[in-house]
Amino acid sequence: MACTLDNFIHSLDLRALPRVIQIQSGVYCQGSIYEMFGNECSLSTGEVIKVTGFKINKLIASICENNEVSRFSAKVELPLNFPGLYKIVADKTPYVSIEEIARKVSIGPTRFGHPCFYSAEDIKLANFTIKHGEQITFNSVEEVDGTMAVDCVVVRNNESHSFTLPFSQEGEFYECEDDQIYTLKEIAEWKIPKCRNRIVKLSNTLHLQDSSSPLPENFDGCLILMPVYEVQAVMKFRKDIVHILSDLDVEVKDITDCYDIGSFLQPLSLEDIFERTSKEFPMVAEIMEGPLGSQKPYNLLSTGKEIVIYKKYQAARVLASEMRSDSSKRHFLIPTSYKGKFKRRPREFPTAYDLEIARTEKEQLHVVATKAFASPHKELFSVSVGDQFLVQQHQTSEVLYEGRKKLVDVLACEQILSDTYKKVLLPMYMEGGFVEVIHDKKQYHLSEICKEFHLPFNVKVSVRDLSIEEDVLAAAPGLRFEEEITDSYLLISSASSPVESWEIPVYRLSMLVHLLNKDVQAVVPPVMRTTVEEVSEAEYYMLRRYENLTLHPPPRPPKKPT
């Protein structure tokens, strides 16, 4: 049965891909087929297309009143990078089964992919009863004894209870209220259910100061968001990927069950390649859609080029940021194979607790106070700007608080005076400011810094890596090594002239290939070139977002009553 492309995509489950569709009623736009911002806009009646993926390209927004589109609201188009933060309004329409939730709602490994629902009635399981109205967190979709189910968690009396709900479980399931705030891009990727619109409320209105905003001036209400999808597809007689917007005025028919899907080229993402078994490597592939970027090796990965993929693996990187006072700082992922050398730069510490984290047995930490601190207890030291200290160790000390003795965490230090040292105790919660005094003039390799010091760590390149044509780190005024991470990579080289190999990141490089039935001439990869990867601001925060939470200093006790 024929339907519009928009309706087809809205009802399509990602797990059902790929699907083969035939154009029942075509559309033709005069001029280049890539005239509309790189999206296909001319499709002939009878043409056969294999849909391999889709994602939200933009959002159509209408002002919402009483959970409905306002009669006076004009529809406006919002790009996914439209600024602002938004809160989600819980959907009042119930889901009738666990299968419907799994089919329509994004459930995945990140914190965005853990939606919460409650049941209108009690659900009795084998050894556990979910009470009506109790929040159920959906963590993942899995197969249990041949039956599809959702892995769930309920928190009761600060204790987590894990269980699975089969797709066949029926009932009335309602979306829970969500107190988190999201960008429009995060909402588009994770928080818009299939076949449903999403109501959001502006959490901040800073962007509305911009006169170019399509929303009314001083608007702080709710919006109904309707997604427009970008469909990724393969056409029968073309070797590249085509992109079609779902609101293109065509009718389509699903003919997957009566068509040889193997007659199409099979586009694979880097994630698809990485999921292959190690014994399938090395392999030869042709690039169907190359990545954007001018730095090596991305500028070599053009559409139509053949590459050899030697192996997949996990590799260590150091996440670093430029030390700049303005907001235009750049971020880098540096491989441990980097051959340049670094000299230390002074670190800054906002609290005494940070001094405790940074100190090592290898050398004594020497700091200067940059901010005064008046201690509320006579047993602890009050700091003046310019005071110098040698950090000793963490310990506890008794202080008199409201007439009673109390144990508090302190940092034992030696204050450096003109001709002597004085033992002092600084409260661990102290909100001051310290800057490190560097006595070490040694030049370090990256691996030495990771082994001998705690991160974060401040440095400057003293000897650049001569094996890199343009060492971007050498131009930085200073670098802050934030943390070590482990990431997934593929090792590749050019198939026609394999004189050097490169590591490419699996999850940050948007690229599609199809495998060729060709033998690899040289199983051993050529010499690997060191690549310092520059990451965007968004990628930087995503890399840091899911790392272990940073330890925080103990809470400061209440002030003495005046």
Side-chain angles (χ1 to χ4, degrees), residues 205 208-209 215-221:
T205 55
L208 297 182
Q209 308 299 323
L215 299 178
E217 189 176 354
N218 299 322
F219 176 75
D220 63 351

Side-chain angles (χ1 to χ4, degrees), residues 46 159 213 221 242 253 368 485 487 499 529 540:
E159 188 176 338
S213 171
V242 297
K253 182 180 179 181
V368 178
I485 67 166
D487 209 356
V499 293
R529 291 295 180 190
Y540 166 77

Side-chain angles (χ1 to χ4, degrees), residues 179-212:
D179 59 357
Q180 300 295 312
I181 55 175
Y182 303 93
T183 65
L184 213 55
K185 187 172 188 293
E186 289 168 344
I187 291 172
E189 290 177 351
W190 290 98
K191 298 297 179 181
I192 299 185
K194 297 288 291 178
C195 302
R196 298 192 183 201
N197 296 331
R198 169 59 78 194
I199 301 176
V200 297
K201 179 174 176 56
L202 269 75
S203 180
N204 77 337
T205 55
L206 294 177
H207 65 282
L208 297 182
Q209 308 299 323
D210 186 354
S211 60
S212 63

